[in-house]
Amino acid sequence: NAGVTQTPKFQVLKTGQSMTLQCAQDMNHEYMSWYRQDPGMGLRLIHYSVGAGITDQGEVPNGYNVSRSTTEDFPLRLLSAAPSQTSVYFCASSGAASAFFGQGTRLTVV
Amino acid sequence: DAKTTQPNSMESNEEEPVHLPCNHSTISGTDYIHWYRQLPSQGPEYVIHGLTSNVNNRMASLAIAEDRKSSTLILHRATLRDAAVYYCSRQTGANNLFFGTGTRLTVIP
């Protein structure tokens, strides 16, 4: 049972670089989301998608882009990384009763 | 979520009950209350959820105040494996989760 798979697990970027955090789920869930987790602030919603071709902004969307071309995949793109984007990123896939989270990507922007 | 508040930390002795509180100061009538827990270096894991009535499952119980402004996660017999950060959250009609800042539970052997 793979559930939600995130890659990479760790990443170091230089300021201004771009990258894509990958997220894939095998549960056929329509709803997927991205969160960032910072010390003392819990998890904050970045972007979410209610199905292929449909995305919307969450609490902290600035600096991030998403797309949803298939039910399985929901990548998160940083176009020009900034030190303020240093964080742990979690992807989630939600069924009728609960959300399933990936293991996270620890991103450091220097 | 500034509207969902939890104590930063709590301690419990092993095999004793634990009551983890959460305040949902501006929760709407249709928002569900969810609880998740997170072990070190892992993603959050679902524990329980409810709307108005108290709920039980194999992991825990959830007590929801009549006015829904607060909830309490109850672990009936804490074990060392229950040591984690526990997050309460509200789930909106759009299926979005808005989390509190979490309570770090320490279980003392």
Side-chain angles (χ1 to χ4, degrees):
Chain A
N1 290 339
V4 178
T5 302
Q6 289 185 238
T7 55
K9 287 187 169 47
F10 301 95
Q11 183 72 48
V12 178
L13 286 180
K14 293 183 178 179
T15 298
Q17 285 185 320
S18 63
M19 80 159 296
T20 300
L21 280 63
Q22 301 291 344
C23 176
Q25 54 100 358
D26 61 1
M27 296 171 282
N28 203 32
H29 290 158
E30 294 293 333
Y31 180 93
M32 297 183 72
S33 52
W34 277 101
Y35 293 84
R36 61 177 289 171
Q37 185 173 39
D38 302 295
M41 302 189 74
L43 290 95
R44 292 181 292 168
L45 180 65
I46 303 172
H47 283 287
Y48 65 97
S49 169
V50 298
I54 307 169
T55 64
D56 207 343
Q57 297 180 351
E59 300 172 272
V60 288
N62 293 341
Y64 308 95
N65 280 352
V66 292
S67 60
R68 184 94 178 272
S69 57
T70 67
T71 300
E72 295 77 21
D73 300 300
F74 190 41
L76 178 72
R77 278 183 286 277
L78 285 72
L79 296 179
S80 179
S84 61
Q85 294 178 304
T86 293
S87 188
V88 181
Y89 292 85
F90 289 99
C91 177
S93 172
S94 296
S98 66
F100 298 85
F101 286 82
Q103 293 292 298
T105 296
R106 184 174 294 274
L107 176 67
T108 302
V109 183
V110 298
Chain B
D1 186 15
K3 307 179 181 94
T4 305
T5 57
Q6 305 176 248
N8 287 338
S9 62
M10 293 185 65
E11 286 186 351
S12 173
N13 292 320
E14 194 176 10
E15 298 192 3
E16 290 189 355
V18 183
H19 290 232
L20 298 166
C22 180
N23 287 322
H24 313 270
S25 59
T26 59
I27 192 168
S28 77
T30 56
D31 288 350
Y32 277 80
I33 295 168
H34 280 238
W35 282 80
Y36 287 77
R37 71 179 186 181
Q38 186 176 26
L39 300 172
S41 300
Q42 293 191 23
E45 172 192 30
Y46 169 78
V47 178
I48 199 167
H49 77 284
L51 183 61
T52 56
S53 303
N54 294 345
V55 183
N56 301 297
N57 67 20
R58 64 174 179 82
M59 291 181 70
S61 296
L62 175 60
I64 300 173
E66 197 168 330
D67 64 3
R68 299 191 355 106
K69 299 300 184 185
S70 65
S71 68
T72 302
L73 178 69
I74 302 164
L75 306 179
H76 296 287
R77 288 179 68 245
T79 70
L80 296 179
R81 288 176 295 181
D82 292 324
V85 179
Y86 287 80
Y87 291 98
C88 65
S89 61
R90 59 186 179 91
Q91 182 194 41
T92 66
N95 219 9
N96 295 330
L97 289 166
F98 295 93
F99 288 86
T101 52
T103 298
R104 181 175 300 278
L105 176 65
T106 301
V107 180
I108 302 167

